[in-house]
Amino acid sequence: MFLPKQQQKALAEDKVSDKKSAVKNDNAIDKKTTNKKSLPSTDQDTITFAQLTDTFTKIEATTKRLEITDYLTQFYKQVILTKPEELLMTLYLTINRLCPDYEGLELGIGESILIKAVVESTGRTTAKVKEELKKVGDLGTVAQSARKNQPTMFKSKDLNVPTVFKNLKEIATASGSQSQTKKIGIIMKMLTSCNSNTNEVKFLIRLLEGKLRIGLAEKTVVVSLANAIVLSNNEDATKEDLERGVEIVKQVYSELPSYDLIIPALLDGGVDNLQERCHLTPGIPLKPMLAKPTKAVTEVLDRFEGRSFTCEYKYDGERAQIHYHDGKVKVFSRNSEDMSMKYPDLVEQLPRAIKPGVKNFVIDSEAVAFDKQTKKILPFQELTRRKRKDVKVEDITVKVHIFAFDLLYFNDKPLLHEDLTRRREMLSDNFETVEDEFAMAKSMEAQSTEEIQAFLEESVKDSCEGLMVKMNQGESAWYTPSKRSMNWLKLKKDYLSGVGDSLDLVVIGGYYGKGKRTNVYGAYLLACYDQDSESYQSICKIGTGFSEEMLDSHYKLLNPLEITAPKSYYKLGSAKPDVYFEPQAVWEVLTADLSLSPVYTAAAGEISERGISLRFPRFIRVRDDKAADDATSSEQVSQNIYI
Ligand SMILES: Nc1ncnc2c1ncn2[C@@H]1O[C@H](COP(=O)(O)OP(=O)(O)OP(=O)(O)O)[C@@H](O)[C@H]1O
Ligand SMILES: [Mg+2]
Ligand SMILES: [Mg+2]
């Protein structure tokens, strides 16, 4: 579009190979540097919070993934050798979580509570703290520097990892009328225990915000954990041993994303036979497999011609991973959230589709709003009209229909490494269609462009978004959790009008409305997410096409998210909204085209020094099922510029 096609392609390939070598290095931690360092002493009582925050400080100071992996490996190794029982808590603190995603316990204390705690523990005025925050964009840094200039009145006991972890958990679970006071009390106590010669205050505040932001990707955590385990069992482990360990832990984690289960198993038996001890298990959601967009039927054939493939309807609802064991049904979202409370009707109706002899299973499916009278699939918007919490079966007006498209586990056996053909066969053999409730996704073994085109049109007539095209046989037909795979292609009707796939973007800023819109935001600043730098990069301003009702409801949702200053990890470029928001709301947006921009920063440095922007962005819907860091990545944006 802006460079000759050939050059664009070369650039893109360069980028890919760079990324590949970075990943390789990541796995191959330099053995010499690892072993040179002396072993830690073993008479330690507990892992101190300062040891953890020193590691954070080192990690934050570099962008080299190899160095980050090395620091973290050393630290985890030290924990394993001195206090293995504290490894799990230490790891949770490094990823700023308290438990696996599906348990739903979240940190993310509001800015106002934290400002209050900082004010009370440092003696600064609220105005002064806010002023500093405006300048720096990070409350942790503000609190840290306020602490530096404050004489310590008395020295309390050092904070340690178990205490911090326990306190954070208490804060996250506190509820009821006194909870705010209780939270502030715990926070204040921890803040006064922080040593001002370290960065404890800074990181404690960030942990409480639920936004550690030290440039540590979770894949680096997995790599470091594997390295630390291997090295703590064998100091002379070779590069190959380390690489093997990393592969095993990565694979196991993608099937069973629960450190609660993996860490005890690793401490107990190392990486050997980990796969036999930890694998996909009903009750624990795995990250779903994702598809690559294609923009023409011919592109599907370019990729799949001569291979066996299936076209399926692409239903427009909400992804539902259904788990069944011990007679109980659980439904998980795309994001591993437990949706069983939101869909009590699904939990009730699903057993009717199970044939006799079925003990347990994991099904991948789409839950769609459905009209029993007309037997028609309803648009996605109908699904969003359902209540989210305290849903009672008898009050439900919008019915859901399940369209199952995959079987990942069946009667005590993971099926991820079976062919898709086999998995679908088992699905249809062991489950039955229940009118208005449960069916297999409609599919067809198409061969030619004409057949695919005709099936695509049929899918649209049947209120679907288009097709999913999937490889049938061999390793390319395995189910690869959390991967955006070339073996699943999505072909949406939207693409055919030349606009490409929609983007899911984070609302980071708002512009005051004019005229009739003075009580609401009249326009919004959107951003994509850059996984490597953990930053949100501005991509466009969106302000047209909203109805009065929409503006009102966006205002109600966004106003409580207003913050004093842009976060330090917002890359705004020259965009200047009137207000900024916590990164939380995700919107699906369509665009006429992408173009290079002097204003916005999305994917800057990837294709050009300039960022990329959307032309004529159009709001489609709120994406409740995506967290801010699941938003469209800058890499996806830069790949899309070829469209
Ligand atoms: N037959 C099907 N096979 C697989 N997925 C399907 C099928 N029918 C509907 N889907 C839905 O399509 C989604 C993938 O396409 P879509 O573009 O809607 O994804 P998304 O949720 O926006 O995520 P992303 O854009 O990150 O891929 C799946 O996550 C699933 O919810
Ligand atoms: Mg969808
Ligand atoms: Mg999408």
Side-chain angles (χ1 to χ4, degrees):
M1 190 183 299
F2 304 94
L3 291 171
K5 264 255 150 41
Q6 221 43 40
Q7 226 170 320
Q8 283 188 5
K9 212 165 162 220
L11 266 175
E13 273 160 12
D14 247 19
K15 234 173 51 203
V16 170
S17 64
D18 264 9
K19 287 243 158 82
K20 275 197 188 130
S21 58
V23 170
K24 261 229 168 83
N25 286 341
D26 205 8
N27 299 349
I29 191 173
D30 185 349
K31 195 183 145 226
K32 275 191 228 108
T33 57
T34 307
N35 282 340
K36 243 189 300 180
K37 286 164 195 156
S38 60
L39 275 180
S41 70
T42 50
D43 54 3
Q44 193 169 349
D45 278 347
T46 181
I47 305 298
T48 65
F49 188 51
Q51 283 175 298
L52 179 72
T53 57
D54 283 352
T55 309
F56 287 171
T57 304
K58 285 194 233 157
I59 292 174
E60 195 182 29
T62 176
T63 51
K64 297 202 182 84
R65 204 168 296 164
L66 197 60
E67 271 177 34
I68 295 177
T69 313
D70 195 14
Y71 291 137
L72 201 57
T73 300
Q74 290 307 322
F75 181 55
Y76 286 164
K77 192 173 119 194
Q78 182 180 357
V79 178
I80 294 166
L81 295 174
T82 53
K83 278 274 156 194
E85 64 275 28
E86 290 177 15
L87 181 64
L88 184 60
M89 289 184 260
T90 306
L91 186 134
Y92 273 131
L93 290 178
T94 39
I95 55 171
N96 204 177
R97 294 205 54 87
L98 299 166
C99 57
D101 286 350
Y102 56 87
E103 285 178 16
L105 192 57
E106 302 245 4
L107 273 168
I109 309 302
E111 191 184 82
S112 54
I113 297 192
L114 287 176
I115 291 183
K116 206 165 165 189
V118 171
V119 165
E120 286 181 27
S121 69
T122 59
R124 293 251 166 128
T125 62
T126 310
K128 179 85 184 148
V129 169
K130 284 195 171 168
E131 187 193 314
E132 289 289 307
L133 181 56
K134 269 211 172 111
K135 266 192 243 153
V136 201
D138 170 35
L139 189 58
T141 308
V142 173
Q144 183 74 47
S145 65
R147 228 356 235 286
K148 279 244 158 70
N149 303 326
Q150 184 196 28
T152 316
M153 277 169 280
F154 57 91
K155 178 79 193 83
S156 49
K157 218 170 138 257
D158 280 343
L159 275 177
N160 58 43
V161 161
T163 309
V164 172
F165 188 76
K166 189 181 120 270
N167 285 343
L168 293 183
K169 231 176 173 159
E170 223 172 296
I171 292 169
T173 44
S175 64
S177 58
Q178 292 302 307
S179 63
Q180 180 112 339
T181 323
K182 186 174 165 196
K183 283 180 191 176
I184 294 187
I186 304 174
I187 297 170
M188 292 275 295
K189 200 158 155 222
M190 284 199 284
L191 282 175
T192 44
S193 304
C194 287
N195 187 333
S196 54
N197 298 322
T198 67
N199 282 327
E200 286 172 299
V201 169
K202 174 165 110 182
F203 291 118
L204 182 61
I205 293 283
R206 291 207 207 155
L207 283 169
L208 288 159
E209 287 180 308
K211 308 256 159 44
L212 189 56
R213 309 273 161 199
I214 49 171
L216 176 63
E218 190 162 352
K219 57 180 189 271
T220 310
V221 173
V222 174
V223 171
S224 307
L225 171 66
N227 283 333
I229 290 285
V230 172
L231 288 167
S232 61
N233 285 329
N234 173 14
E235 244 193 90
D236 300 319
T238 60
K239 201 173 144 204
E240 287 71 36
D241 293 335
L242 292 170
E243 278 176 355
R244 185 177 148 263
V246 167
E247 270 324 299
I248 293 174
V249 177
K250 267 192 187 161
Q251 158 69 26
V252 167
Y253 186 71
S254 77
E255 280 189 39
L256 187 76
S258 166
Y259 294 114
D260 286 5
L261 300 172
I262 294 179
I263 288 195
L266 278 172
L267 289 171
D268 197 35
V271 294
D272 293 322
N273 309 322
L274 184 69
Q275 281 133 316
E276 277 98 87
R277 290 174 289 140
C278 293
H279 47 71
L280 171 55
T281 303
I284 296 166
L286 63 163
K287 300 268 176 257
M289 179 165 172
L290 303 170
K292 286 257 189 206
T294 48
K295 66 174 195 317
V297 176
T298 49
E299 218 180 294
V300 171
L301 285 177
D302 286 349
R303 165 94 186 126
F304 284 173
E305 194 150 38
R307 315 282 294 269
S308 164
F309 63 89
T310 300
C311 299
E312 281 172 357
Y313 273 15
K314 183 177 189 306
Y315 297 91
D316 192 11
E318 187 170 8
R319 191 144 188 181
Q321 199 180 90
I322 305 169
H323 291 233
Y324 177 78
H325 65 118
D326 302 326
K328 274 207 291 288
V329 177
K330 271 203 164 169
V331 186
F332 295 100
S333 72
R334 183 189 193 283
N335 233 353
S336 305
E337 264 174 71
D338 192 338
M339 299 199 294
S340 314
M341 306 295 268
K342 185 179 164 193
Y343 287 116
D345 45 340
L346 267 189
V347 171
E348 190 188 272
Q349 74 199 39
L350 204 100
R352 296 196 271 273
I354 305 173
K355 284 193 185 168
V358 177
K359 268 201 311 195
N360 47 42
F361 62 82
V362 177
I363 277 180
D364 203 352
S365 75
E366 188 84 348
V368 183
F370 193 78
D371 185 337
K372 281 184 172 185
Q373 256 77 51
T374 59
K375 310 272 172 214
K376 283 226 159 81
I377 291 173
L378 296 169
F380 173 87
Q381 277 70 12
E382 290 297 313
L383 202 61
T384 58
R385 284 186 36 228
R386 286 176 58 114
K387 267 175 71 182
R388 248 161 271 279
K389 287 192 186 118
D390 306 322
V391 184
K392 293 199 191 76
V393 177
E394 55 274 21
D395 300 339
I396 293 172
T397 50
V398 182
K399 302 281 179 216
V400 280
H401 193 305
I402 285 289
F403 289 96
F405 51 78
D406 218 318
L407 184 63
L408 313 183
Y409 188 97
F410 186 74
N411 283 2
D412 299 327
K413 255 185 67 188
L415 304 178
L416 303 181
H417 293 177
E418 300 284 342
D419 285 0
L420 177 63
T421 310
R422 176 81 190 118
R423 299 199 305 270
R424 298 177 84 252
E425 216 171 69
M426 291 176 75
L427 187 60
S428 64
D429 286 351
N430 293 289
F431 297 85
E432 56 199 344
T433 306
V434 180
E435 202 182 354
D436 303 336
E437 291 183 3
F438 184 95
M440 293 266 292
K442 189 161 177 189
S443 68
M444 184 180 89
E445 308 287 309
Q447 295 302 332
S448 65
T449 317
E450 292 72 31
E451 283 171 312
I452 301 176
Q453 185 69 44
F455 196 49
L456 174 69
E457 278 157 27
E458 196 187 319
S459 80
V460 173
K461 259 195 223 115
D462 286 342
S463 319
C464 289
E465 265 184 308
L467 301 179
M468 292 289 272
V469 190
K470 302 175 179 176
M471 209 73 110
N472 275 336
Q473 274 150 22
E475 250 184 65
S476 350
W478 288 2
Y479 190 96
T480 47
S482 81
K483 280 224 175 75
R484 191 174 293 286
S485 165
M486 283 295 279
N487 300 320
W488 277 22
L489 300 180
K490 45 185 178 184
L491 184 63
K492 291 196 209 172
K493 62 174 182 231
D494 289 338
Y495 307 169
L496 304 183
S497 49
V499 292
D501 196 6
S502 57
L503 297 96
D504 303 312
L505 302 168
V506 185
V507 191
I508 60 167
Y511 300 81
Y512 294 129
K514 295 197 182 88
K516 264 212 257 164
R517 296 177 164 187
T518 41
N519 293 326
V520 294
Y521 309 116
Y524 314 85
L525 179 66
L526 305 183
C528 64
Y529 183 61
D530 181 45
Q531 278 149 341
D532 290 336
S533 62
E534 291 185 292
S535 62
Y536 293 92
Q537 303 175 327
S538 64
I539 193 163
C540 71
K541 179 176 172 180
I542 184 170
T544 46
F546 294 102
S547 66
E548 304 276 309
E549 289 88 351
M550 277 162 139
L551 290 171
D552 273 344
S553 82
H554 291 327
Y555 185 80
K556 279 202 195 88
L557 288 171
L558 289 167
N559 185 256
L561 301 179
E562 268 195 29
I563 46 178
T564 311
K567 304 278 183 189
S568 51
Y569 48 85
Y570 283 0
K571 304 296 170 223
L572 296 164
S574 45
K576 285 198 184 60
D578 299 315
V579 295
Y580 296 93
F581 304 117
E582 287 285 350
Q584 197 166 308
V586 178
W587 289 357
E588 187 169 349
V589 170
L590 261 180
T591 177
D593 204 353
L594 295 159
S595 62
L596 289 177
S597 150
V599 178
Y600 302 103
T601 65
E606 301 241 347
I607 280 175
S608 143
E609 279 317 300
R610 288 192 282 165
I612 293 172
S613 179
L614 308 190
R615 295 185 57 218
F616 309 117
R618 183 156 61 83
F619 171 86
I620 308 180
R621 58 196 175 197
V622 175
R623 289 292 303 247
D624 281 330
D625 60 333
K626 284 198 167 185
D629 52 11
D630 296 319
T632 298
S633 65
S634 11
E635 200 183 348
Q636 282 173 283
V637 172
S638 66
Q639 282 169 0
N640 260 314
I641 198 151
Y642 306 118
I643 287 176

